[in-house]
Amino acid sequence: MFLGRVVGTVWATKKDHKLEGLKFQIVKKVDQELNLKPDFAIAVDSVGAGAGELVLCAAGSSARMTPITQDKPVDTVIMAIVDQVDFDQP
Amino acid sequence: MFLGRVVGTVWATKKDHKLEGLKFQIVKKVDQELNLKPDFAIAVDSVGAGAGELVLCAAGSSARMTPITQDKPVDTVIMAIVDQVDFDQP
Amino acid sequence: MFLGRVVGTVWATKKDHKLEGLKFQIVKKVDQELNLKPDFAIAVDSVGAGAGELVLCAAGSSARMTPITQDKPVDTVIMAIVDQVDFDQP
Amino acid sequence: MFLGRVVGTVWATKKDHKLEGLKFQIVKKVDQELNLKPDFAIAVDSVGAGAGELVLCAAGSSARMTPITQDKPVDTVIMAIVDQVDFDQP
Amino acid sequence: MFLGRVVGTVWATKKDHKLEGLKFQIVKKVDQELNLKPDFAIAVDSVGAGAGELVLCAAGSSARMTPITQDKPVDTVIMAIVDQVDFDQP
């Protein structure tokens, strides 16, 4: 999984019918200091993550293992909102 | 998923029989300013995306979760046409 | 999917028994001008692609969605021979 | 699979219900000298790996092939604790 | 698939129970001249590949399509020992 921050939203009216009602969030990966990296992915939100929140994302077929993404053309899902990140080593 | 723009089309007569009738679009990823990046992928269009349109693509096994790509040798699908992209953070 | 050109062949006698009879082609990705990039992948040919031909490849589990690759340890397949590539935008 | 070292932990209270009870470890890939690389992934621990331990991780759908990750939105799992790494060639 | 050379072995006593008896080989990718690249992956050997041998590896879910890796947390498998590599183009 990767650690990222919600930095925006994508809106799409014309889409595969299974995607109706899903929210597409823009997630930027973060580094060890939780600073934003330049690259971003679009992820379906399954846990109510809001703008600016630190989240965990699962990618690939595992992104379809939540109740709202099952069997849908979704390859990245936000499946947790992060409370705390502890690095033991610098 | 990744955000991209349709920049061309690939034509292939000789192909796996399951691919008959599918349209292969060339999609370039875009950056935060929606400028084209150099890399491109070939994606099957499942939503009628035309040249120049901003689209969402799903990759991997999730690309087979649309009615027209199911069980086919397709690893990237255009599954939404993007209306708007909102970045909350620069 | 990615666009590539067949640039060689790999021969292997000792292999998983499901791979008997499959042809392993070396495929280099191409850029927008159809020039070869340095990286290459090994792909099973499902459409009779010959040396020098421009092809489309599917990767991941989708590579197993052709009649000759089904349920086999194959992660990249040539599933179309490309006739023409049209870029709308430079 | 990739070789990495456990360098921290991620805590998340609000998450997909299937993720209850799982431990999210931060794993940095290591190079041939077992030095940490800068990039990290978040992996579910299936073998009781502790801080600083050298581990093997499986990614993608294979990450769901352990008893505790089955059918869950998990794309990376620690599935072995490494005792020894032998390089035959420099 | 990717072309690589076996350059070492990883030993792990504490692991997922499905992994008992599997051999974890360290495989470095090779370039067109069959020289080693710096990056390496850990792959389960399904064909008796020894140290220094040139091999083909399948990654992702396809790595589970051999008799000894089926349904196991394994994402890379050595599924062929390479006899010869022929490049038609430089």
Side-chain angles (χ1 to χ4, degrees), chain A residues 2-23:
Chain A
F2 69 88
L3 204 60
R5 200 176 286 283
V6 178
V7 299
T9 308
V10 171
W11 307 93
T13 309
K14 194 169 182 184
K15 58 194 163 195
D16 182 90
H17 71 95
K18 291 187 199 170
L19 300 173
E20 294 296 334
L22 296 186
K23 185 154 195 185

Side-chain angles (χ1 to χ4, degrees), chain A residues 17-75:
Chain A
H17 71 95
K18 291 187 199 170
L19 300 173
E20 294 296 334
L22 296 186
K23 185 154 195 185
F24 296 107
Q25 296 286 40
I26 309 171
V27 179
K28 280 195 176 172
K29 290 189 183 182
V30 296
D31 62 19
Q32 188 164 342
E33 286 75 35
L34 307 186
N35 293 321
L36 300 178
K37 293 181 170 186
D39 250 25
F40 60 89
I42 314 301
V44 164
D45 176 26
S46 77
V47 288
E53 280 192 293
L54 196 65
V55 295
L56 264 185
C57 292
S61 59
S62 300
R64 302 197 306 271
M65 299 292 135
T66 78
I68 68 161
T69 56
Q70 198 175 0
D71 299 327
K72 298 183 183 174
V74 166
D75 68 13

Side-chain angles (χ1 to χ4, degrees), chain C residues 7-16 18-19 26 28 36 39-40 42 51 61 64 71-76, chain E residues 1 3 30-32 37 47 56 58-59 61-62 65-67 79-90:
Chain C
V7 299
T9 308
V10 171
W11 308 93
T13 310
K14 194 168 182 186
K15 59 194 163 196
D16 182 272
K18 292 187 197 167
L19 300 173
I26 308 173
K28 280 195 175 172
L36 300 178
D39 250 25
F40 60 89
I42 313 300
S61 59
R64 302 197 305 271
D71 298 327
K72 297 183 184 175
V74 166
D75 67 14
T76 314
Chain E
M1 283 78 69
L3 205 59
V30 297
D31 62 19
Q32 187 165 343
K37 293 181 171 187
V47 288
L56 265 185
S61 59
S62 299
M65 298 293 135
T66 78
M79 35 46 123
I81 298 177
V82 173
D83 299 320
Q84 197 177 329
V85 179
D86 290 335
F87 273 91
D88 306 316
Q89 299 190 4

